Amino acid sequence: MEKDRPEGIRTYNEPAGGWGALRAVAKTLKHQQVVAQGSAMLLRANQPEGFDCPGCAWPDPKHTSSFEFCENGAKAITWESTAKRVPPEFFEQHSVSELWTWSDHQLEDQGRLTHPMVYEAETDHYRPIEWDEAFALIGQELNALPDPNMAEFYTSGRASNEAAFLYQLFVRAYGTNNFPDCSNMCHEATSVGLPESIGVGKATVTLEDFDHADAIFSFGHNPGTNHPRMMTTLHDAARRGVPIVVFNPLKERALERFAAPQNPIEMVTFSSTPIASAYHQVRAGGDLAVLKGMMKSIFERDAADIAAGREGLLDRAFIAEHTVGIEELKADAEATDWEPILKISGLTRQAIESAVDVYLGAKNVIACYGMGLTQHRTGTSNVQQLANLLLLRGNIGRQGAGIAPIRGHSNVQGDRTVGITEIPNKALLDGMEKAFGFRPSDAKGHNAVEAVEAIIDGRSKAFIALGGNFAVAMADPEATFAGMRKLELAVHLSTKLNRSHLMTARTSLILPVLGRTDLDIQKEGPQVVTVEDSMSMVHASRGFLKPPSEALRSEPAIIAGIARATLGTRHGIDWEGLVANYDRIRDKIEIVFPDFRDFNARVRVKGGFRLTVAASQRHWNTADGKATFLTCQGIDEDPRLRAPDALVLMTIRSHDQYNTTVYSLDDRYRGVFGRRDIVLMNRDDLAARGLAEGDRIDLHALAEPADIAMPQKSARGFTAVEYDIPSGAIAGYYPELNVVVALSHYDRKSGTPAYKGVPVRVVKSADQ
Ligand SMILES: Nc1nc2c(c(=O)[nH]1)N[C@H]1C(S)=C(S)[C@@H](COP(=O)(O)OP(=O)(O)OC[C@H]3O[C@@H](n4cnc5c(=O)[nH]c(N)nc54)[C@H](O)[C@@H]3O)O[C@H]1N2
Ligand SMILES: Nc1nc2c(c(=O)[nH]1)N[C@H]1C(S)=C(S)[C@@H](COP(=O)(O)OP(=O)(O)OC[C@H]3O[C@@H](n4cnc5c(=O)[nH]c(N)nc54)[C@H](O)[C@@H]3O)O[C@H]1N2
Ligand SMILES: [Mo]
């Protein structure tokens, strides 16, 4: 143990992956009591005949791979297939008020929910309810609302295509487009930003493109923790000598060096492979400055080349044939001065120029990014400027090149593809009419922030969640939680108990569902579902484990039950038939979305199939049919950050958590063990505030001018940890720190909460 460091904090020197990962898996299997079936079960993950790993949305090599080892995939799978159970007796023993005092970790760690439950206010306990009774109750409540737009229908990204499609069918038939979605908190900046730039809000690359890339840029994502199977790709690329340029305020271990658990030499010799060829610790929120700086340099160098009679550095043929807006972009780059670029990015001119050297030195460039770009007030602009950088040299729609938003939940992309959207377009409405004979409303519905606002204002009275832990994932728990408690109806389709279930409405139900790993048998036999990964590959997923209880139902079956009880025979939809055999759901998906042609046949081919991504073929589905260089004002994320004592807080995931699911209190690669109540700070920022490592601190959000009247958001009693993080930026864990994030703190273009760009002041805690 290092001397004088706070409890549980130490320096971790091992590479990512390697033996540390193997030890962690063994521990997880043991904790979830799945030792006996553990290894056999893990071997079915991402197999042609197995289930899709619920851990992340990274694709598999050729999608027919033998199992790729993945520590956090193993955690996600064992967490779901745990031997622990939450039966009705559990709720008999523990009142809702008592459970509220438990930690998020304790709640989920009780195991799988086994029976449908309804809340009884008189006793403050959940009690069991029969499925049909539950459906009838929900139908009654929904039909009692004066307007279907007073109900919110949330989706979390684990739902299969079949469940999500059926859900949107039910909700549209019921009469609203209120589809708050976990994607609204995540890659909405991508879904809004990229279609304007290149005509599609998805990755333009496939996994195979990485084999042909000459350079890889990584902005703001943490693959060692959040999409660990990507490490195989990065490890291979690094060993081939492909430069990997990282922009991240934190030195994430897996991006520094990684030992592949399947590589016997690295395992036996305790060696590892360096991943990043250059690691730029950009200040949080400094990416817009970096991107504009890189483009400014490229324009300058290009002009110099042209002046010297050389060919120039831009892909002029591509730009002329395929794009619009280059002049505006160039003018914007020229108008942006180096001084603010360097100040806001926190990087030196040499660092930015060296990244440009790599970019220009490579024929084919792939740029990957995650929440570090999207969860900012400038999220949409960040994404669009990254697209600009790639377009300058024709790095989109060519083998080995492209843009790669790294999606979060394992089927978050698929859910959007099959119709989970609050803004239905004409194609969707036409398709629905063709498949089901009615035309759904085209009125804009609510996204996640709008849904919470409507719930808080009392404009929305009912909330149904297809998975997730909505209230805890959202900003401003104080206001959000109070809003949820005013609802008339709250229904949660869930695998595990979480805090959202404890914010009870007048009528509250928990409906336990089968998970990805569970065998799903319907009237006509065992069923498969389908999912779409980050690279638009659609493939089948078959669970095979005996479900945790006979009372569980599948998500499609529950949605159909609710729909039948709510809509009766309205629109003549054969809910029972659709659920008896999911092939029938897929037949309907194919009618609504023609890109799924021959769905049932193609998904049964090993490896599945890829949906069309027009930009990959240089077809641009934008307003004017061209890829568009889009400019944005300035590089300054938030004027509040100009205050002399302001710091920018990024709220991030530990290595042992899955969103609001906290597997354990460790964050191994960052050297944090047994606690989450810490804030990572630069040494100078500590000193400037008269603080030392180990001090208890309070964080106060800086109010927006328009927000002055709002109660101040604060997070109190955290422990300061000295860390290698750029001065001006601090980091801590989500969801604990959501208390300092105001609901109004989001990217105006996409509604994505700015979870990585929260302006705060840090002071010594009042209670030391
Ligand atoms: N094990 C595990 N896997 C997961 C999840 C999980 O919680 N656990 N969650 C899933 C979901 S829903 C999602 S969306 C993804 C999330 O995956 P990521 O996108 O990797 O999400 P985060 O951990 O929030 O962190 C983002 C990274 O961005 C960096 N960062 C923060 N601010 C900035 C910035 O301003 N600029 C730059 N350049 N970098 C910045 C942080 O240091 C961190 O390394 O993972 C998915 N997979
Ligand atoms: N401050 C801050 N806040 C954030 C973020 C951040 O980086 N910082 N990240 C945001 C992001 S990217 C996201 S995606 C959201 C996540 O928001 P959500 O998707 O709403 O949250 P999860 O924590 O993934 O949901 C966990 C719950 O899902 C249920 N569940 C698990 N598997 C299944 C299943 O197969 N079916 C069903 N029906 N239920 C299941 C379990 O009951 C579990 O308790 O949080 C957002 N909030
Ligand atoms: Mo996400």
Side-chain angles (χ1 to χ4, degrees):
M1 252 307 163
E2 291 148 272
K3 270 217 199 100
D4 300 330
R5 299 220 56 189
E7 171 94 35
I9 305 299
R10 61 184 167 87
T11 308
Y12 185 83
N13 286 321
E14 285 185 49
W19 291 102
L22 289 187
R23 277 194 298 273
V25 172
K27 206 168 126 187
T28 310
L29 287 171
K30 192 157 161 239
H31 181 69
Q32 296 306 327
Q33 305 165 7
V34 287
V35 181
Q37 55 174 339
S39 46
M41 175 185 56
L42 294 180
L43 289 170
R44 299 280 280 267
N46 295 340
Q47 287 278 8
E49 291 300 312
F51 56 88
D52 180 70
C53 177
C56 75
W58 186 257
D60 278 300
K62 319 256 179 317
H63 316 281
T64 54
S65 80
S66 59
F67 178 64
E68 285 197 310
F69 184 83
C70 169
E71 173 190 343
N72 278 358
K75 282 182 203 153
I77 294 166
T78 51
W79 192 255
E80 179 174 298
S81 54
T82 176
K84 302 181 190 183
R85 299 285 176 267
V86 178
E89 301 80 65
F90 171 88
F91 291 101
E92 217 172 281
Q93 282 157 20
H94 307 286
S95 70
V96 166
S97 319
E98 183 207 331
L99 292 171
W100 184 260
T101 65
W102 294 20
S103 71
D104 294 321
H105 169 73
Q106 282 172 307
L107 291 173
E108 276 217 22
D109 196 28
Q110 300 311 306
R112 289 285 297 273
L113 296 157
T114 62
H115 286 79
M117 307 294 293
V118 64
Y119 179 65
E120 218 171 49
E122 309 83 72
T123 60
D124 189 33
H125 283 261
Y126 271 101
R127 67 162 172 81
I129 181 172
E130 292 301 319
W131 279 108
D132 285 342
E133 217 187 313
F135 296 149
L137 192 58
I138 298 166
Q140 233 170 49
E141 291 279 359
L142 287 177
N143 285 325
L145 291 178
D147 178 346
N149 294 309
M150 293 173 77
E152 305 289 345
F153 296 88
Y154 179 63
T155 311
S156 169
R158 281 210 188 168
S160 63
N161 289 333
E162 290 71 14
F165 178 79
L166 214 59
Y167 191 55
Q168 66 85 37
L169 168 62
F170 157 56
V171 173
R172 294 204 153 94
Y174 170 66
T176 182
N177 286 315
N178 286 345
F179 285 108
D181 176 12
C182 76
S183 177
N184 298 144
M185 298 177 238
C186 185
H187 265 293
E188 196 63 30
T190 299
S191 304
V192 169
L194 284 188
E196 289 177 6
S197 290
I198 58 168
V200 60
K202 297 183 177 185
T204 66
V205 295
T206 63
L207 202 50
E208 290 71 39
D209 282 314
F210 283 83
D211 297 338
H212 302 279
D214 302 311
I216 297 171
F217 281 71
S218 149
F219 284 85
H221 64 115
N222 184 15
T225 292
N226 296 322
H227 21 280
R229 283 178 294 115
M230 184 185 194
M231 291 315 302
T232 308
T233 304
L234 293 177
H235 188 259
D236 288 353
R239 291 181 85 90
R240 273 203 330 273
V242 174
I244 299 175
V245 181
V246 174
F247 289 91
N248 195 313
L250 299 179
K251 283 262 183 88
E252 303 290 19
R253 181 56 44 86
L255 288 169
E256 293 183 291
R257 52 186 199 279
F258 182 73
Q262 353 27 357
N263 182 317
I265 296 181
E266 287 183 353
M267 291 302 279
V268 168
T269 61
F270 293 92
S271 60
S272 61
T273 299
I275 300 297
S277 54
Y279 208 117
H280 303 293
Q281 287 182 274
V282 60
R283 167 123 24 86
D287 303 273
L288 204 47
V290 168
L291 290 165
K292 286 201 181 183
M294 286 182 70
M295 291 190 281
K296 185 178 177 70
S297 164
I298 292 168
F299 282 120
E300 285 172 3
R301 295 191 199 193
D302 176 69
D305 267 27
I306 298 281
R310 288 191 292 270
E311 203 184 321
L313 297 164
L314 309 180
D315 186 341
R316 289 192 156 72
F318 171 81
I319 291 172
E321 187 184 344
H322 288 285
T323 72
V324 292
I326 185 81
E327 289 311 321
E328 292 84 342
L329 184 75
K330 189 161 177 233
D332 182 56
E334 283 163 0
T336 311
D337 292 329
W338 279 109
E339 197 206 321
I341 289 175
L342 303 182
K343 184 155 174 264
I344 290 173
S345 68
L347 299 177
T348 62
R349 176 83 186 258
Q350 293 87 310
I352 294 178
E353 298 290 353
S354 75
V356 173
D357 291 342
V358 176
Y359 180 72
L360 294 177
K363 173 150 190 341
N364 299 319
V365 177
I366 293 178
C368 313
Y369 67 93
M371 301 298 99
L373 282 200
T374 60
Q375 292 178 334
H376 283 285
R377 309 255 303 187
T378 53
T380 304
S381 301
N382 292 349
V383 170
Q384 292 178 338
Q385 297 309 313
L386 184 59
N388 288 343
L389 176 68
L390 292 170
L391 289 171
L392 284 179
R393 303 248 304 163
N395 273 313
I396 291 189
R398 182 170 80 206
Q399 192 181 46
I403 194 159
I406 311 290
R407 292 278 170 175
H409 268 300
S410 51
N411 197 39
V412 60
Q413 186 163 317
D415 292 346
R416 299 307 293 258
T417 302
V418 300
I420 301 295
T421 169
E422 75 278 13
I423 314 172
N425 60 21
K426 184 171 176 298
L428 171 60
L429 298 172
D430 289 348
M432 291 291 287
E433 191 168 7
K434 191 165 162 211
F436 299 103
F438 73 97
R439 192 166 186 86
S441 157
D442 63 354
K444 187 198 164 299
H446 293 156
N447 64 18
V449 170
E450 290 158 353
V452 174
E453 286 169 349
I455 289 171
I456 291 173
D457 295 352
R459 281 178 282 124
S460 284
K461 297 284 185 199
F463 174 80
I464 298 189
L466 179 57
N469 188 2
F470 181 59
V472 177
M474 283 301 294
D476 196 349
E478 206 186 336
T480 303
F481 291 8
M484 300 303 282
R485 293 198 153 98
K486 291 194 307 196
L487 287 168
E488 283 165 18
L489 174 70
V491 181
H492 301 275
L493 280 69
S494 306
T495 50
K496 296 244 186 144
L497 181 62
N498 67 44
R499 192 166 302 282
S500 290
H501 305 154
L502 306 177
M503 296 163 208
T504 49
R506 198 191 62 218
T507 301
S508 281
L509 294 124
I510 306 174
L511 305 180
V513 302
L514 295 174
R516 271 295 161 75
T517 52
D518 299 323
L519 183 61
D520 179 357
I521 299 184
Q522 301 297 334
K523 260 205 198 99
E524 295 179 20
Q527 301 298 315
V528 303
V529 294
T530 63
V531 294
E532 174 184 344
D533 66 32
S534 247
M535 287 165 197
S536 304
M537 295 294 308
V538 178
H539 49 98
S541 173
R542 294 173 184 76
F544 66 96
L545 293 179
K546 184 169 173 272
S549 130
E550 306 236 310
L552 291 196
R553 295 204 181 170
S554 75
E555 290 173 340
I558 297 172
I559 294 161
I562 297 174
R564 189 84 167 82
T566 308
L567 304 174
T569 54
R570 208 193 307 171
H571 301 312
I573 299 162
D574 177 15
W575 298 101
E576 285 82 5
L578 287 168
V579 170
N581 185 341
Y582 299 170
D583 280 1
R584 292 198 190 99
I585 304 180
R586 285 184 283 272
D587 286 340
K588 292 289 188 186
I589 292 180
E590 178 177 335
I591 299 175
V592 181
F593 305 102
D595 205 17
F596 283 89
R597 80 201 126 73
D598 293 332
F599 194 1
N600 276 308
R602 284 199 295 162
V603 85
R604 284 180 167 84
V605 175
K606 237 186 191 178
F609 61 93
R610 186 167 187 237
L611 292 171
T612 310
V613 177
S616 304
Q617 277 93 49
R618 296 196 164 171
H619 294 134
W620 317 101
N621 293 328
T622 55
D624 40 19
K626 301 268 187 188
T628 309
F629 289 105
L630 292 157
T631 51
C632 66
Q633 273 268 301
I635 51 175
D636 213 351
E637 171 167 15
D638 195 316
R640 284 170 287 177
L641 289 170
R642 288 188 212 134
D645 63 344
L647 295 170
V648 58
L649 165 71
M650 45 182 186
T651 56
I652 54 176
R653 297 159 164 77
S654 76
H655 189 61
D656 277 9
Q657 84 180 77
Y658 196 96
N659 299 337
T660 68
T661 298
V662 177
Y663 300 131
S664 95
L665 303 184
D666 296 348
D667 190 6
R668 186 169 83 244
Y669 297 149
R670 301 197 184 104
V672 181
F673 296 90
R675 63 190 302 181
R676 293 171 55 85
D677 59 341
I678 52 114
V679 171
L680 308 176
M681 293 183 70
N682 178 286
R683 172 201 299 250
D684 297 340
D685 291 333
L686 284 170
R689 286 160 186 76
L691 295 168
E693 181 174 75
D695 280 352
R696 279 164 64 80
I697 53 170
D698 295 341
L699 283 61
H700 301 294
L702 301 181
E704 276 185 80
D707 280 345
I708 294 282
M710 282 176 48
Q712 171 150 42
K713 303 264 154 276
S714 300
R716 295 176 200 278
F718 284 73
T719 294
V721 168
E722 188 182 315
Y723 204 76
D724 182 6
I725 180 171
S727 170
I730 62 174
Y733 299 121
Y734 130 70
E736 286 82 347
L737 283 163
N738 288 25
V739 286
V740 283
V741 190
L743 207 51
S744 58
H745 190 59
Y746 56 83
D747 171 26
R748 288 295 174 264
K749 283 197 197 135
S750 67
T752 316
Y755 292 129
K756 305 283 193 270
V758 188
V760 295
R761 227 163 17 91
V762 168
V763 297
K764 204 165 199 166
S765 194
D767 48 311
Q768 278 300 312

